[in-house]
Amino acid sequence: MQKSKYYVISLGGSLIVPKNGIDWKFLKNFRELIIKEIKKNKKFIIVAGGGNTARDYQTAASKVTKLTDDDKDWIGIHSTRLNAHLIKTIFRKYAHSRINKNPRTKADIRKHFQKNEKIMVAAGWRPGWSTDYVATILAERLGAKTVINLSNIQYVYDKDPKKYKTAKKIKEITWPDFRKIVGNKWDPGLNAPFDPIASKHAEEQGLEVIIAEGKNTKNLEKYFNGEKFKGTVIKARG
Ligand code: UTP
């Protein structure tokens, strides 16, 4: 039998919990697609983001008292855990029963797949970065070459398309050029196409990162089938 391939998905929290509450319709479509791909012998690592739950809690606590950046990040981390639990629950039959909360754990993370499980669900780890970073560490440890970053943007642009009408979409970019766009600094609640700390790690590890719109599951399916798809490819080597 053909060896199955690991696909690491950084599932943006903005897809799970957008501003107006949990998007169960998206989750339903996403679930259908992933199950279809599992049947084609793929295995998935899904890292859940915090989305609006993280933002809401961070904002509320900040209104009550002054928070440190660590405090803000920890609230974010706990929302990623809640969302990870939601993801694990909807994939009950396919996912390992425990959520990975420490991508650098000494334990053998392949244990998540030992009982023929098809999915490993992971959440945030520690302050100082986002779940994108967790995704790059898990990719490194499982020997996956690509991280698929799903959020609510279709492409990376050379400048903020909400502010500049002349912003141009980028279909392919090298890590040095991409890192010029996102910078090097982490801020809790930062909203970059791929977090700067994760970008540094991905560049060092020679990972390829795909940035695509998560809601467009038809497009995602094209990617999985090796067909032309909409999205930005950050190439492993420039
Ligand atoms: P994410 O930044 O990963 O989720 O985690 P998101 O904002 O929902 O993702 P996108 O923007 O849609 O892609 C939410 C927050 O949790 C904290 C950070 O504060 C982050 O902004 N966090 C998450 C950490 O501090 N460390 C982690 O390892 C993960």
Side-chain angles (χ1 to χ4, degrees):
M1 200 172 111
Q2 194 200 349
K3 215 173 147 218
S4 54
K5 198 173 158 189
Y6 292 112
Y7 285 79
V8 180
I9 299 181
S10 179
L11 186 61
S14 52
L15 293 166
I16 309 169
V17 193
K19 281 214 172 76
N20 46 357
I22 305 167
D23 190 350
W24 63 266
K25 283 187 186 148
F26 160 70
L27 292 175
K28 199 164 190 264
N29 293 335
F30 179 71
R31 181 178 182 276
E32 269 167 29
L33 172 67
I34 297 296
I35 292 172
K36 205 164 162 187
E37 296 303 320
I38 281 172
K39 293 190 174 142
K40 293 184 206 158
N41 210 19
K42 294 187 177 74
K43 288 187 179 173
F44 291 91
I45 292 90
I46 303 175
V47 192
N52 212 48
T53 310
R55 303 282 185 292
D56 264 359
Y57 275 73
Q58 287 165 340
T59 309
S62 303
K63 281 184 181 159
V64 178
T65 186
K66 198 168 163 21
L67 298 190
T68 65
D69 279 358
D70 266 19
D71 284 338
K72 283 188 202 155
D73 276 346
W74 276 116
I75 295 189
I77 289 166
H78 283 278
S79 23
T80 68
R81 290 179 178 172
L82 178 61
N83 285 341
H85 202 92
L86 173 63
I87 299 298
K88 192 204 79 170
T89 304
I90 65 169
F91 286 111
R92 186 174 225 295
K93 233 174 85 187
Y94 306 88
H96 184 72
S97 56
R98 298 199 76 92
I99 287 161
N100 177 291
K101 298 190 198 105
N102 176 356
R104 287 259 184 245
T105 175
K106 288 204 178 73
D108 179 7
I109 52 173
R110 282 177 200 267
K111 272 203 178 133
H112 281 247
F113 295 98
Q114 258 172 10
K115 289 186 188 148
N116 204 27
E117 294 99 333
K118 306 296 179 195
I119 300 175
M120 166 190 195
V121 182
W125 177 30
R126 284 184 187 160
W129 47 72
S130 79
T131 44
D132 294 343
Y133 182 54
V134 173
T136 61
I137 300 173
L138 290 171
E140 177 197 350
R141 289 196 66 187
L142 289 158
K145 297 274 170 253
T146 305
V147 170
I148 306 156
N149 184 70
L150 300 180
S151 69
N152 50 15
I153 63 165
Q154 280 187 352
Y155 288 96
V156 172
Y157 283 79
D158 60 348
K159 40 187 180 265
D160 188 346
K162 284 187 203 122
K163 284 191 203 147
Y164 305 94
K165 275 205 173 125
T166 55
K168 284 193 200 74
K169 64 178 163 207
I170 300 170
K171 293 190 176 167
E172 239 185 43
I173 191 166
T174 63
W175 278 115
D177 288 344
F178 181 75
R179 292 191 54 204
K180 277 183 212 145
I181 300 175
V182 292
N184 283 310
K185 210 180 144 278
W186 168 253
D187 260 328
L190 184 81
N191 213 342
F194 202 64
D195 116 42
I197 310 300
S199 298
K200 182 169 185 285
H201 189 243
E203 181 179 22
E204 286 163 0
Q205 294 307 315
L207 284 174
E208 174 186 80
V209 170
I210 308 290
I211 309 274
E213 190 187 25
K215 264 194 169 180
N216 190 347
T217 43
K218 288 236 159 40
N219 183 52
L220 210 53
E221 193 169 358
K222 284 187 189 156
Y223 168 77
F224 287 134
N225 289 340
E227 293 163 21
K228 216 167 158 244
F229 67 98
K230 279 189 199 153
T232 301
V233 180
I234 313 173
K235 291 187 291 177
R237 295 267 177 256

